[in-house]
């Protein structure tokens, strides 16, 4: 297989359903793909899938968002796998526990923030510096609508995602001046194991991935997937505090 | 570790519809975990739910939805062998491999079936008389047993298990992955010769006469026609189109993938929508619209999957649902076939779909459906008095060495099933060896006493 024309896309958190289909979208668009996840057995299976479907080079690497010390070594491994030709990165990892648990057990709350925010900052800064030096590249950060407003039913996860959204916004601002695009993705309910049995109506991850790929091609800044969540959150964000605090959303 | 969703699920016929605890693992290791720790008394694997009856529902137990374990693992363009997980659908295989010049070698009337489901029902297509069932193209598969072991099954390795699983409706184990030999094609089009037959004798004769010359053969039957026109049909014999057969846009894109506008039935039709008058009208139009003509060029989607173009077409039968009655009768039971067709026509139980094909030699699968002869498929709206009436037809089948298809059945009696499948005990022996506690069970398995 020759060097991919579009360079390599690195997908962090590749084992989530959304990330899996996003990797396929990258492959179909002509990118080589580096899949990174904790679960190497699954990661290798996913790599085979992208390879067969898209006929592009695909590598599987071990990555642990919450293990900050490993991020330097991981980034080096990425560069090597991509023959120093990384042109895109998608951050699709995330940890969500039940609110009741996160409230009661600080270790659970800490893990949520460590993975979703601290880990995100740690690894993304490395890609940011890499792209900035080359004045080329694109970063996709998968946040969540949960970060748009802190609700009693999910505010610890929400806080971590709110932080991630602000981080992505600032990064977009910084990297714009260096020719690098950063897109924030805010999914509502997506039909994955996170919502299975909990939420009756959720978007198909294949459709969500197509929306993300389209948004990236159009260099959108922030997209909601599916699109109507933008309007749902617009309404929710406009509920005044004195009203919102009384609600049980 | 693996969450469940309590859902009311059914087969494609939408009856029976039962509440089950549904798992949908996204990782391979989720499967042994579910079988060992899922907290349910028993389980059955499920694909895309296109079986008509109760093969993939398990009220009172767990249902494992395998559609997320749908990764392609390997493909060898030299041999055309694809290795993939059981959750991969035929639709996906067509999407990925038609552009590369390969077709799924045996396919049922819908592309929305999984590889696992295709194996578990030993599916056949319009080319059984020439190519057999999917078993003919199945090199091997990996089977997960309830005890956690994974067995590789092929004609050479664990052959008893290989054959028991083909048509074994998921009772021997959970199929994890399979290796299938795809068929190389020059174009994605078919050359179809249409023959309008005046009645059942005409079409049966024509089918027998022309079989040798065509790889694919199927007849649409007007099951409402009476008297001298009983069983009037349109026979559609097909072969792969070669590059030289194409012209115009098709010639520029011989392996093209038609993007047909998809329609969908958005809601349940009222129960009276499909009735002898409406279906009769449709039949008249269809029959008139298909005179004898040769060499029509048809894309693979239209030739193989005419109904897939209408999403949720099963809603046309309304909330009560329907069942598909598919029979296989030996060639010498020609009179029984005509008798059954006559009774259907007289009963006024109109079948929206009535399809006739020829079967070639059977294989070693103890529960494999096809036997050499004719196969007729009919839809019937579910009514309270339907099962009893179908049991009368079952009697005719039994008298003539015929049988019903488990992938469609919803009301056959256990004694009937045992009589139709003489190798049932051999199947039970293999199954009991692999799964002594019957951890894998379904509503159908319990209904038929398998």
């Amino acid at each position: 297989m020759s060097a991919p024309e579009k360079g390599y896309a690195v997908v962090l958190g590749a084992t989530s359903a959304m990330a899996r289909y996003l990797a396929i979208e990258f492959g179909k668009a002509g990118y080589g793909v580096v899949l990174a996840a904790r679960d190497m057995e699954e990661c290798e299976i996913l790599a085979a899938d992208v390879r067969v479907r898209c006929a592009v080079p695909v590598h599987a690497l071990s990555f642990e968002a919450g293990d900050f010390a490993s991020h330097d070594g991981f980034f080096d491994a990425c560069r090597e796998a991509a023959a120093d030709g990384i042109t895109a990165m998608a951050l699709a990892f995330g940890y969500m526990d039940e609110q009741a648990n996160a409230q009661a057990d600080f270790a659970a709350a800490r893990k949520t923030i460590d993975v979703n925010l601290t880990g995100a900052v740690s690894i993304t800064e490395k890609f940011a510096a890499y792209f900035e030096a080359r004045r080329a590249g694109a970063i996709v950060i998968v946040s969540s609508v949960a970060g748009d407003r802190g609700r009693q039913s999910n505010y610890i996860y929400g806080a971590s995602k709110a932080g991630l959204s602000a981080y992505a916004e600032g990064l977009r601002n910084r990297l714009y001046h260096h020719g690098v695009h950063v897109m924030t993705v805010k999914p509502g309910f997506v039909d994955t194991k996170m919502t299975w049995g909990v939420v009756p109506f959720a978007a198909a991850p294949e459709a969500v991935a197509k929306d993300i790929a389209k948004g990236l091609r159009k260099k959108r800044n922030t997209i909601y997937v599916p699109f109507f969540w933008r309007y749902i959150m617009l309404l929710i964000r406009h509920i005044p505090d004195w009203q919102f605090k009384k609600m049980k959303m | 570790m693996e969450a469940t969703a309590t859902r009311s699920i059914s087969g494609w016929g939408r009856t029976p519809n039962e509440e089950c605890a549904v798992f949908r693992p996204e990782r391979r290791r989720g499967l042994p975990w579910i079988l060992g720790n899922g907290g349910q008394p028993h389980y059955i694997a499920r694909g895309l739910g296109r079986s008509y009856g109760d093969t993939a529902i398990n009220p009172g137990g767990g249902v494992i939805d395998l559609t997320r374990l749908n990764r392609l693992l390997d493909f060898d363009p030299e041999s055309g062998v694809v290795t993939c997980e059981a959750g991969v659908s035929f639709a996906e295989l067509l999407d990925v491999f038609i552009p590369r010049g390969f077709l799924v070698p045996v396919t049922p009337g819908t592309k929305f079936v999984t590889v696992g489901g295709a194996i578990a029902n030993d599916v056949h297509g319009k080319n059984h008389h020439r190519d057999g069932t999917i078993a003919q193209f199945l090199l091997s598969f990996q089977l997960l047993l309830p005890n956690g072991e994974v067995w590789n099954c092929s004609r050479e390795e664990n052959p008893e298990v290989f054959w028991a699983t083909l048509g074994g409706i998921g009772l021997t184990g959970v199929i994890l992955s399979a290796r299938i030999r795809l068929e190389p094609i020059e174009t994605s089009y078919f050359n179809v010769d249409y023959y309008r037959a005046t009645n059942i004798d005409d079409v049966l004769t024509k089918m027998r006469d022309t079989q040798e010359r065509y790889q694919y053969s199927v007849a649409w039957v007007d099951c409402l026609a009476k008297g001298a026109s009983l069983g009037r049909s349109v026979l559609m014999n097909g072969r792969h189109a070669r590059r030289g057969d194409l012209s115009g846009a098709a010639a520029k894109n011989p392996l093209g993938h038609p993007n047909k506008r998809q329609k969908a039935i958005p809601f349940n039709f009222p129960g009276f929508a499909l009735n002898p008058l409406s279906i009769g009208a449709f039949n008249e139009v269809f029959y008139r619209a298909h005179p004898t003509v040769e060499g029509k060029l048809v894309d693979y989607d239209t030739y193989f999957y005419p109904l897939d173009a209408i999403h949720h077409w099963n809603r046309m039968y309304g909330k009560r649902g329907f069942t598909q009655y598919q029979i296989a009768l030996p060639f010498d039971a020609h009179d029984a076939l005509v008798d059954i067709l006559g009774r259907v026509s007289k009963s006024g139980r109109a079948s929206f779909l009535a399809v006739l094909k020829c079967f070639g030699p059977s294989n070693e699968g103890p529960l494999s459906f096809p036997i050499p002869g004719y196969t007729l498929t009919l839809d019937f709206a579910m009514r309270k008095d339907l099962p009893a009436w179908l049991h009368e037809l079952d009697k005719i089948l039994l008298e003539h060495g015929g049988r019903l298809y488990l992938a469609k059945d919803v009301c056959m009696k256990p004694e009937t099933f045992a009589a139709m499948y003489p190798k049932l005990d051999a199947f039970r022996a293999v199954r009991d060896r692999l799964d002594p506690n019957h951890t894998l069970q379904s509503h159908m398995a319990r209904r038929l006493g398998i």
Side-chain angles (χ1 to χ4, degrees):
Chain A
M1 240 174 244
S2 48
E5 45 174 76
K6 290 243 180 77
Y8 279 82
V10 178
V11 179
L12 305 177
T15 49
S16 90
M18 230 187 328
R20 178 199 164 185
Y21 287 107
L22 184 58
I24 291 173
E25 290 297 317
F26 275 120
K28 279 201 214 146
Y31 288 84
V33 182
V34 175
L35 298 176
R38 278 176 301 163
D39 187 342
M40 277 310 284
E41 188 196 330
E42 278 298 308
C43 209
E44 294 284 5
I45 295 174
L46 291 169
D49 185 51
V50 181
R51 226 176 266 129
V52 176
R53 281 178 202 262
C54 309
V56 290
V58 184
H59 303 272
L61 293 179
S62 172
F63 171 69
E64 173 114 35
D67 179 5
F68 316 132
S70 71
H71 291 180
D72 265 329
F74 166 74
F75 186 71
D76 288 339
C78 269
R79 283 182 73 163
E80 206 190 310
D84 206 23
I86 307 174
T87 50
M89 184 274 264
L91 189 157
F93 58 79
Y95 176 74
M96 183 170 84
D97 200 345
E98 276 192 39
Q99 172 67 27
N101 203 42
Q103 264 171 229
D105 176 11
F106 175 63
R110 182 176 195 168
K111 182 173 173 188
T112 306
I113 299 168
D114 274 357
V115 170
N116 297 351
L117 182 55
T118 318
V121 171
S122 164
I123 190 62
T124 308
E125 283 301 319
K126 301 187 198 302
F127 284 90
Y130 179 90
F131 291 145
E132 189 180 75
R134 284 158 179 73
R135 291 194 61 82
I139 296 178
V140 175
I141 301 220
V142 181
S143 182
S144 170
V145 296
D148 275 17
R149 192 118 200 213
R151 312 168 282 143
Q152 53 113 36
S153 62
N154 206 5
Y155 62 84
I156 294 179
Y157 176 76
S160 71
K161 288 300 194 177
L164 183 62
S165 294
Y167 170 77
E169 191 174 23
L171 191 66
R172 178 161 44 253
N173 188 197
R174 160 190 163 196
L175 290 179
Y176 176 79
H177 303 287
H178 300 271
V180 178
H181 183 60
V182 179
M183 179 173 82
T184 307
V185 178
K186 291 182 178 177
F189 293 138
V190 182
D191 189 13
T192 69
K193 71 173 195 277
M194 234 188 225
T195 55
W196 180 252
V198 179
V199 171
F201 298 107
E206 303 98 301
V208 167
K210 283 196 161 65
D211 284 345
I212 296 174
K214 190 162 88 175
L216 191 61
R217 278 196 302 275
K218 292 184 163 176
K219 291 208 160 144
R220 302 279 306 278
N221 297 316
T222 299
I223 62 169
Y224 286 80
V225 287
F227 73 96
F228 53 79
W229 279 93
R230 179 184 293 276
Y231 308 106
I232 296 176
M233 295 322 291
L234 193 62
L235 288 171
I236 292 182
R237 278 205 310 276
H238 279 79
I239 300 172
D241 269 349
W242 62 262
Q243 174 70 44
F244 196 79
K245 72 181 181 188
K246 296 182 192 168
M247 295 173 79
K248 287 226 161 219
M249 217 179 275
Chain B
M1 199 186 105
E2 291 288 339
T4 59
T6 308
R7 296 239 163 122
S8 267
I9 52 175
S10 69
W12 192 248
R14 305 172 81 219
T15 178
N17 196 318
E18 303 282 346
E19 238 182 42
C20 309
V22 186
F23 296 82
R24 194 183 58 182
E26 290 184 355
R27 295 175 200 228
R28 187 80 69 83
R29 76 172 68 80
L31 285 173
W33 186 90
I34 291 167
L35 291 178
N37 310 86
Q40 297 293 324
H42 35 72
Y43 304 88
I44 194 69
R46 182 184 175 90
L48 285 163
R50 256 61 178 193
S51 282
Y52 284 75
D54 50 352
T55 45
I57 65 174
N58 187 24
V63 170
I64 311 174
D65 180 331
L66 275 133
T67 55
R68 288 279 161 111
L69 295 175
N70 64 336
R71 282 79 58 99
L72 300 177
L73 302 172
D74 186 59
F75 178 64
D76 175 9
E78 295 293 311
S79 60
V81 175
V82 61
T83 310
C84 63
E85 287 185 321
V88 172
S89 71
F90 277 28
E92 282 179 290
L93 289 175
L94 294 166
D95 257 342
V96 174
F97 294 108
I98 285 199
R100 297 185 206 183
F102 290 92
L103 187 70
V104 177
V106 167
T107 176
T110 170
K111 53 186 181 281
F112 301 119
V113 297
T114 56
V115 164
I119 294 171
N121 291 279
D122 197 19
V123 295
H124 61 270
K126 300 175 178 36
N127 56 338
H128 186 274
H129 62 280
R130 175 84 72 86
D131 297 326
T133 63
I134 191 70
Q136 283 301 106
F137 301 88
L138 180 62
L139 274 65
S140 65
F141 56 84
Q142 300 247 292
L143 190 71
L144 170 68
L145 305 185
N147 65 10
E149 287 174 34
V150 176
W151 286 19
N152 193 47
C153 303
S154 67
R155 285 167 174 78
E156 297 81 38
E157 209 180 336
N158 300 309
E160 265 194 327
V161 180
F162 179 82
W163 289 111
T165 306
L166 279 155
I169 54 167
L171 299 177
T172 56
V174 177
I175 302 168
L176 295 177
S177 63
R179 288 170 61 232
I180 297 176
R181 193 177 71 245
L182 301 179
E183 185 187 353
I185 49 169
E186 230 179 80
T187 80
S188 59
Y189 291 85
F190 288 82
N191 235 315
V192 185
D193 292 343
Y194 291 87
Y195 177 77
R196 184 158 64 192
T198 48
N199 56 40
I200 185 71
D201 284 313
D202 189 9
V203 72
L204 288 178
T205 309
K206 193 74 179 177
M207 269 184 122
R208 296 295 301 275
D209 287 345
T210 56
Q211 244 186 85
E212 302 301 306
R213 294 188 267 132
Y214 297 92
Q215 190 177 1
Y216 301 89
S217 179
V218 66
W220 166 89
V221 181
D222 177 354
C223 60
L224 288 175
K226 291 184 175 17
S229 297
L230 179 70
R232 65 178 185 173
S233 344
V234 175
L235 178 60
M236 301 176 263
N237 283 333
R239 324 181 160 89
H240 286 291
R242 325 269 343 245
R243 270 238 185 85
D245 298 333
L246 304 183
S247 57
K252 291 200 194 103
N253 198 6
L255 291 167
H257 204 82
N259 230 332
K260 290 194 337 210
R261 280 234 321 266
Q262 312 250 280
K263 305 163 197 76
I265 306 285
F267 50 78
N268 285 318
F269 280 13
F272 57 78
L274 289 179
N275 60 61
L277 283 177
S278 59
I279 293 179
F282 172 85
N283 286 0
E284 185 65 34
V285 171
F286 192 90
Y287 188 70
R288 296 273 149 240
H290 287 82
T292 299
V293 70
E294 293 197 352
K296 244 191 123 183
L297 215 58
V298 177
D299 68 84
Y300 77 90
D301 209 12
T302 305
Y303 186 57
F304 283 144
Y305 311 114
L307 280 173
D308 279 351
I310 309 170
H311 284 297
H312 304 302
W313 64 264
N314 53 350
R315 287 184 184 155
M316 290 202 287
Y317 278 98
K319 264 206 313 223
R320 271 185 286 185
F322 67 112
T323 183
Q324 210 173 64
Y325 192 68
Q326 178 163 6
I327 65 178
L329 276 168
F331 285 119
D332 58 21
H334 168 285
D335 290 341
L337 182 64
V338 177
D339 181 8
I340 289 176
L341 206 49
R343 287 173 190 235
V344 172
S345 167
K346 236 188 264 148
S347 74
R349 290 179 198 267
S351 174
F352 176 56
L353 201 70
V355 172
L356 181 66
K357 297 194 282 274
C358 277
F359 276 156
S362 55
N363 65 34
E364 293 165 52
L367 293 188
S368 175
F369 167 65
I371 52 171
Y374 303 109
T375 177
L376 177 67
T377 307
L378 301 156
D379 286 344
F380 294 113
M382 186 49 78
R383 297 282 181 271
K384 280 218 184 71
D385 59 355
L386 180 67
W389 183 76
L390 287 177
H391 292 157
E392 292 302 306
L393 299 186
D394 293 351
K395 286 200 193 116
I396 302 176
L397 286 177
L398 281 172
E399 271 166 44
H400 293 89
R403 68 249 299 264
L404 292 169
Y405 193 10
L406 290 182
K408 315 280 174 91
D409 174 65
V410 109
C411 58
M412 139 170 74
K413 292 200 215 142
E415 321 74 271
T416 308
F417 170 62
M420 286 175 172
Y421 286 86
K423 293 192 195 160
L424 178 57
D425 279 334
F427 173 80
R428 280 188 178 122
V430 177
R431 189 267 189 110
D432 288 341
R433 228 190 336 128
L434 301 169
D435 182 15
N437 299 322
H438 289 194
T439 303
L440 293 169
Q441 278 184 34
S442 59
H443 186 274
M444 172 176 274
R446 290 189 290 272
R447 175 168 62 86
L448 296 179
I450 303 180

